[in-house]
Amino acid sequence: MAYQAGGQRSVPRPVPESSEAQAYLQDYAAYLEAVPFPSVVLDHRWDVVLANTAFRTLFREVGPHPTALPGDNFLRFVLFHPDAPAVLGDHESSWCLPMLARFAAALERHGHDHGLQAIRREIAQDPIMEAAYREGLPHWIRAVGEEAVEHDGAVRPLVHPDPRWGATRCRIVGDTPKTLQDMGYTRLTMVLREAAAPAPRRARRPRRTAGHLSVVPAPEA
């Protein structure tokens, strides 16, 4: 079982075998549920181990998808779900490219990991995403600097489905206790900021195809 704050569900993912570690995750799920901001615990593949109600609320209007739901694998959601740009503002530079950069680093560290290799194959099957990964990403990192890759402390735009938040920004806080680190997990919390004014509701956008990443040069006519 992979535990989620507010409930449990069966998923085909590795979880700690010891009863002590499982008990810790159950208690940590209760702790996570008390956090008012979207908060999630991820493994090195970005599989979601724990998520609180605020996290699920942020993505409550996201449509179905066979592999890229935000509550299953957050990296796949950012890269492949057609609804990701409707929730994650400035999707390309604030979310997609930093996540691609973190993925590239993870692939260097865990090159034989089957889950990461599967994501790499999915990227390769998307011509625009593959071009971004191989060509656009190095150019982007040189342009913005290595610090733009880091999640902790980054301020990134969001479009919250609750009109009390609307189009807002969040500061991502990486706050992972040692026990979670020892399990190979990372916790990220999106500390929401008050919106300046209620934002109009945005229609769900279809997934963009050719040219949907500006960092990728447009093909010559």
Side-chain angles (χ1 to χ4, degrees), residues 66-132:
T67 63
L69 288 174
D72 290 339
N73 184 284
F74 193 64
L75 176 63
R76 279 194 170 100
F77 170 72
V78 172
L79 299 184
F80 301 120
H81 199 296
D83 294 342
V87 182
L88 306 176
D90 192 17
H91 176 250
E92 177 184 339
S93 61
S94 292
W95 297 94
C96 186
L97 288 168
M99 292 290 283
L100 273 177
R102 301 295 290 184
F103 170 73
L107 200 58
E108 287 187 7
R109 292 193 305 270
H110 310 283
H112 298 293
D113 184 277
H114 294 302
L116 293 177
Q117 288 293 342
I119 295 173
R120 181 66 186 92
R121 288 192 294 271
E122 290 181 51
I123 292 172
Q125 291 167 4
D126 183 322
I128 298 298
M129 196 64 70
E130 176 69 4

Side-chain angles (χ1 to χ4, degrees), residues 129-142:
M129 196 64 70
E130 176 69 4
Y133 184 79
R134 286 185 174 273
E135 303 169 21
L137 185 59
H139 171 76
W140 177 77
I141 293 175
R142 288 194 299 270

Side-chain angles (χ1 to χ4, degrees), residues 5 9 21 23 30 33 35 37 41 53 64 78 80-81 85 95 125-126 133 150-151 161-162 167 174 188 213 219-220:
R9 59 185 174 83
E33 189 61 20
V35 176
F37 300 115
V41 175
T53 294
V78 172
F80 301 120
H81 199 296
W95 297 94
Q125 291 167 4
D126 183 322
Y133 184 79
E150 295 300 323
H151 292 315
D162 188 332
L188 298 176
L213 293 177
E220 296 182 1

Side-chain angles (χ1 to χ4, degrees), residues 17-99:
E17 294 182 359
S18 75
S19 58
E20 181 178 354
Q22 292 179 20
Y24 177 87
L25 286 180
Q26 287 181 308
D27 291 340
Y28 199 84
Y31 165 75
L32 206 66
E33 189 61 20
V35 176
F37 300 115
S39 195
V40 62
V41 175
L42 308 166
D43 69 10
H44 70 279
R45 304 179 187 94
W46 288 271
D47 282 338
V48 174
V49 179
L50 302 172
N52 66 0
T53 294
F55 181 87
R56 294 193 295 274
T57 298
L58 176 62
F59 300 103
R60 70 188 180 194
E61 295 184 359
V62 167
H65 193 282
T67 63
L69 288 174
D72 290 339
N73 184 284
F74 193 64
L75 176 63
R76 279 194 170 100
F77 170 72
V78 172
L79 299 184
F80 301 120
H81 199 296
D83 294 342
V87 182
L88 306 176
D90 192 17
H91 176 250
E92 177 184 339
S93 61
S94 292
W95 297 94
C96 186
L97 288 168
M99 292 290 283

